[in-house]
Amino acid sequence: MTELHRELHDIYDEVARRNPGEVEFHQAVYEVLNSLGPVVEKHPDYVDTAVIRRLCEPERQIIFRVPWFDDSGTVQINRGFRVEFNSALGPFKGGLRFHPSVYLGIVKFLGFEQIFKNSLTGLPIGGAKGGSDFDPKGRSDGEIMRFCQSFMTELYRHLGEYTDVPAGDIGVGMREIGYLFGQYKRITNRYESGVFTGKGLTWGGSQVRTEATGYGTVFFVDEILRAEGQSFDGKKVVVSGSGNVAIYAIEKVHALGGSVVACSDSSGYVYDEKGIDLELLKEVKESRRGRIADYVEARRGTAHLVTSRSVWEVACDIALPCATQNELGGDDADMLIDSGCRIVAEGANMPCTPEAVKRFDAAGVTFAPGKAANAGGVATSALEMQQNASRDSWTFEDTEARLAEIMRRIHDRCLSTAEEYGQPGNYAAGANIAGFIRVADAMLALGLV
Ligand code: NDP
């Protein structure tokens, strides 16, 4: 780890002391503070007014019991979370994650990242995140519904289209959003479309929301390539994960002329020399909710399953980690660098460890951080909120064009801010600084709240 600016160091120490054991949260805070040295040199008032310290403390944290009956009639108990981190720019906004690894430190890291990501979009949305340690894998549809209903029976009182607007994340897709929204509607007796994003198209959802995070990540990389006078044409790409973000990243890479030759899930990775067959992957993952091994079996011959090693051993020009936090470490970075990879863009939140990012920087690999590269999901959620507020719905083409334009602006904002603060070409610094300044200025304007 690099040494922090003195005053930022004190703030980091305070965060680590007040939030013991929350290692992912510490990592996310350190990563942002690490970029802010030049900002506090230029504007010491951000330290004097305690705006950075306030940013590191969530406005509200909700932890609750989620009891539900499984199919055998046994009572199951999970823990639910919602961390409403910052609402200086708009209502709290951020997804819900259902995964057994979820605990307060994960929710806080994601909520903290969300503040800067949402700020960077230029749209009026604050930052939040939530979820549960519930594991949806292998659960029946009825169990998923009963869990979602119980979860919402507590959470509904904290939500509202002007208060807090959740969406999906790992383990929470359109099916879960449907059950959650249905229970909210039932309890409140209000068809408040704007309280959730990621809804189905026939009940208030937006075109392109399903595709937005993956498409947005690829649009961001396209901007990087364009700035270098290149394109996706003929580029070999490796994607990790095979969920929502990964699938639509693959779709857009193929549409732009690149070829994704490997993707993964938590049981291993598939290498497909002819390029991933997206229709088959969608059928296996979206319709059947199957495993990556099912894809290999159905592909008959051209694809290989590897369960004992990392997907990052596959040679590529561009790597898109789209699975989960800290999935790409220092050794993985070395393999990518050695195989000639030139661009790494985070479709997932914080998938690259600090050591991996350090090695990419040292090797001159362009690194696009998640809070910029995967902001297309939340940006399109904000477009969904706009359509709900005006009781309107836009076409796929119109919505996709807006998404592409938002990603272009985020890309340019990162570059120009990095340049202004003496770190040309450093997307991570540009994203952190630009995201920070917009939200910090709003906090200063709103007084000590
Ligand atoms: P999904 O649940 O749809 O997919 C997650 C994928 O990642 C699955 O293929 C899953 O495999 C894999 N995965 C999860 N945990 C691990 C692990 N420990 N090791 C290896 N693979 C793993 O989630 P999303 O695609 O929605 O989210 C992926 C990432 O993108 C997350 O970091 C999320 O926070 C981020 N993100 C998502 C947005 C969205 O709009 N959905 C917006 C912005 C960021 P398996 O099925 O085997 O668990």
Side-chain angles (χ1 to χ4, degrees), residues 267-287:
S267 58
Y269 80 82
V270 55
Y271 174 70
D272 196 331
E273 64 194 42
K274 292 200 171 140
I276 297 292
D277 177 338
L278 190 64
E279 285 319 303
L280 178 60
L281 187 68
K282 281 186 181 177
E283 205 265 311
V284 168
K285 285 290 176 181
E286 294 185 333
S287 310

Side-chain angles (χ1 to χ4, degrees), residues 97 99 110 117 129 137 168-171 209 213 241-246 264-267 285 291 322-324 347-349 374 377:
R97 176 178 291 191
H99 193 271
L110 290 164
K117 181 189 308 189
K129 203 80 187 190
K137 268 203 205 96
D169 191 81
I170 291 179
R209 179 59 191 88
T213 309
S242 48
N244 173 262
V245 180
S264 64
D265 66 16
S266 58
S267 58
K285 285 290 176 181
R291 311 299 299 154
C322 296
T324 195
N349 285 311
N374 72 35

Side-chain angles (χ1 to χ4, degrees), residues 154-383:
E154 169 58 31
L155 191 64
Y156 88 94
R157 71 191 82 241
H158 305 288
L159 306 182
E161 62 180 320
Y162 298 110
T163 311
D164 186 347
V165 183
D169 191 81
I170 291 179
V172 179
M174 202 180 286
R175 172 181 61 169
E176 291 74 19
I177 299 285
Y179 295 148
L180 293 162
F181 179 63
Q183 184 73 350
Y184 181 86
K185 184 175 80 63
R186 185 183 190 193
I187 295 174
T188 60
N189 194 30
R190 283 164 61 85
Y191 205 105
E192 194 183 331
S193 301
V195 76
F196 258 101
T197 60
K199 301 182 294 294
L201 292 178
T202 54
W203 41 280
S206 171
Q207 296 284 357
V208 194
R209 179 59 191 88
T210 302
E211 297 84 355
T213 309
Y215 276 21
T217 302
V218 175
F219 286 147
F220 196 93
V221 175
D222 200 36
E223 291 298 328
I224 296 174
L225 289 166
R226 216 185 287 255
E228 296 171 353
Q230 295 189 51
S231 76
F232 263 103
D233 215 19
K235 296 279 187 302
K236 212 189 247 194
V237 182
V238 168
V239 171
S240 65
S242 48
N244 173 262
V245 180
I247 284 176
Y248 292 96
I250 296 170
E251 183 162 288
K252 191 48 82 178
V253 168
H254 287 176
L256 294 181
S259 175
V260 176
V261 291
C263 66
S264 64
D265 66 16
S266 58
S267 58
Y269 80 82
V270 55
Y271 174 70
D272 196 331
E273 64 194 42
K274 292 200 171 140
I276 297 292
D277 177 338
L278 190 64
E279 285 319 303
L280 178 60
L281 187 68
K282 281 186 181 177
E283 205 265 311
V284 168
K285 285 290 176 181
E286 294 185 333
S287 310
R288 278 199 256 159
R289 296 182 188 274
R291 311 299 299 154
I292 205 79
D294 301 328
Y295 170 94
V296 175
E297 200 183 310
R299 194 76 161 121
R300 294 171 202 272
T302 67
H304 309 281
L305 179 69
V306 180
T307 54
S308 54
R309 296 187 307 273
S310 152
V311 70
W312 308 118
E313 69 179 2
V314 178
C316 61
D317 304 301
I318 297 167
L320 304 178
C322 296
T324 195
Q325 65 278 348
N326 292 328
E327 54 158 309
L328 194 165
D331 293 344
D332 299 315
D334 286 344
M335 287 194 282
L336 284 169
I337 293 163
D338 292 345
S339 79
C341 176
R342 302 311 309 151
I343 298 175
V344 177
E346 296 185 321
N349 285 311
M350 209 168 76
C352 299
T353 65
E355 184 56 33
V357 177
K358 201 167 112 188
R359 294 188 196 184
F360 290 141
D361 286 345
V365 172
T366 302
F367 171 72
K371 59 172 81 67
N374 72 35
V378 74
T380 309
S381 279
L383 300 182

